[in-house]
Amino acid sequence: MLNVHKLWLLTSFCVIVTVVLYFQSEIARLEDSYRKLEYRVAQSHSDSRQFFTKETLKDDEDLVVIYNRVPKTGSTSFVGVAYDLCKKNHFKVLHINITANMHVMSLNNQYKFAQNVTRWQEVKPALYHGHMAFLNFERLGTASKPIFINLIRKPLDRLVSYYYFLRHGDNFRPHLVRKKHGDKMTFDECVEKSQPDCDPVNMWLQVPFFCGHAAECWKPGSTWALQQAKHNLVNNYLVVGVTEEMLDFISVLEQVLPRFFKGATEHYLSSNKSHLRQTSSKINPSQRTIETIEQSNVWKMENELYEFALEHFKFVKRKILLREPNSVAQVYFYEKIRPK
């Protein structure tokens, strides 16, 4: 009789536990459905209450985006996506080719370029790309300003990649003979022998690219240049991503600039663009080499800019890509409009 009683208690307990788990599961499912419904309702309000005037649509057709790409930051892969999408999304992509791959334009060319880019209606909307420093269009008296975007990379990773690129090239154009072809010295050996090709001063590139065309920008170790680069990154760039998070960079651009990048995320994932260009025969530096490089003032300043950009990008993408728990897509709309 006692065993029957125990069996009854155990069975009752199992039934209660099963019922509780079932209701917990149902509550979680209903909460999830409610969140999705809440988002759809909000999206519906947004679509119906946001005004898309003729002027707004015209602005989309007048868009000019400048990607002043820093060398060896994954820019070829990103530009490849733009070239693949330009026909489908109906925009132009133009490469800015400056004599001898110079990163700074003469003052007269700065002015001509700024006027040309903003007034050349036949190619709008357009994405321009090239290895050039940030250009302040407001200083050059243009009636409108383009949108700037860019990518930034860990400074030592970028330097090592460039070092081996000059010696072995990459898989994008494998038969092209590079400047240092035949030089078998590793980056570690270069640092140990204090050779000029691996001098930390060579890392001074991302700071001046974001700083601009001022002479002070190109003085290695300039505190003013670093602060100006940070200022421009936050105030004059729409989005600055990091090479290590290329997919998220593309996804953010698809949300922010759909006129250009609609379908970019799916295309990037399904094509070979994520590994389009890789430096050949690259050897990672030893810990001893890393410690030596990181003692330099230039590395510290370049790394400070990288960390600053990374933190800012994470802040931006967290709001757009909904990586926070229980987050709901942010929308805005207009209401209480008077007179009716």
Side-chain angles (χ1 to χ4, degrees), residues 12 59-60 93 104 136 251 261 275 313 325 329 334-335:
S12 300
D59 286 345
D60 273 352
V93 182
V104 175
N136 187 341
S251 297
F261 296 103
H275 49 81
F313 179 61
Y334 305 106
E335 60 180 5

Side-chain angles (χ1 to χ4, degrees), residues 188-204:
D188 285 340
E189 292 168 343
C190 180
V191 171
E192 187 177 354
K193 295 177 181 179
S194 301
Q195 296 296 302
D197 282 358
C198 51
D199 191 320
V201 170
N202 294 325
M203 279 185 291
W204 191 256

Side-chain angles (χ1 to χ4, degrees), residues 8 42 46 49 51 61 84 99-100 102 125 129 140 162 166 172 195 222-223 243 255 263 306:
W8 182 84
S46 174
R49 300 187 190 188
F51 293 106
E61 298 309 305
D84 287 347
T99 305
M102 297 176 69
H129 67 96
L140 296 166
Y162 186 65
L166 291 179
F172 184 61
Q195 296 296 302
S222 167
T223 302
T243 304
Q255 295 294 318
Y306 171 82

Side-chain angles (χ1 to χ4, degrees), residues 12 19 70 131 202 209 214-215 235 244 262 269 278 297 309 313:
S12 300
V19 170
V70 181
H131 295 312
N202 294 325
F209 256 66
N235 294 287
E244 297 77 17
K262 183 179 180 181
L269 288 171
Q278 294 178 335
N297 190 48
F313 179 61

Side-chain angles (χ1 to χ4, degrees), residues 48-109:
S48 63
R49 300 187 190 188
Q50 289 181 16
F51 293 106
F52 296 94
T53 63
K54 289 182 180 179
E55 287 76 15
T56 305
L57 296 174
K58 184 177 181 297
D59 286 345
D60 273 352
E61 298 309 305
D62 280 339
L63 277 175
V64 173
V65 175
I66 295 182
Y67 170 36
N68 63 313
R69 48 195 283 195
V70 181
K72 305 310 296 177
T73 56
S75 60
T76 300
S77 297
F78 174 70
V79 167
V81 173
Y83 274 111
D84 287 347
L85 292 175
C86 63
K87 187 173 182 180
K88 178 182 176 182
N89 290 347
H90 307 290
F91 66 93
K92 292 284 197 300
V93 182
L94 303 90
H95 178 232
I96 308 161
N97 193 334
I98 305 174
T99 305
N101 293 320
M102 297 176 69
H103 303 321
V104 175
M105 285 183 171
S106 61
L107 184 58
N108 59 320
N109 278 331

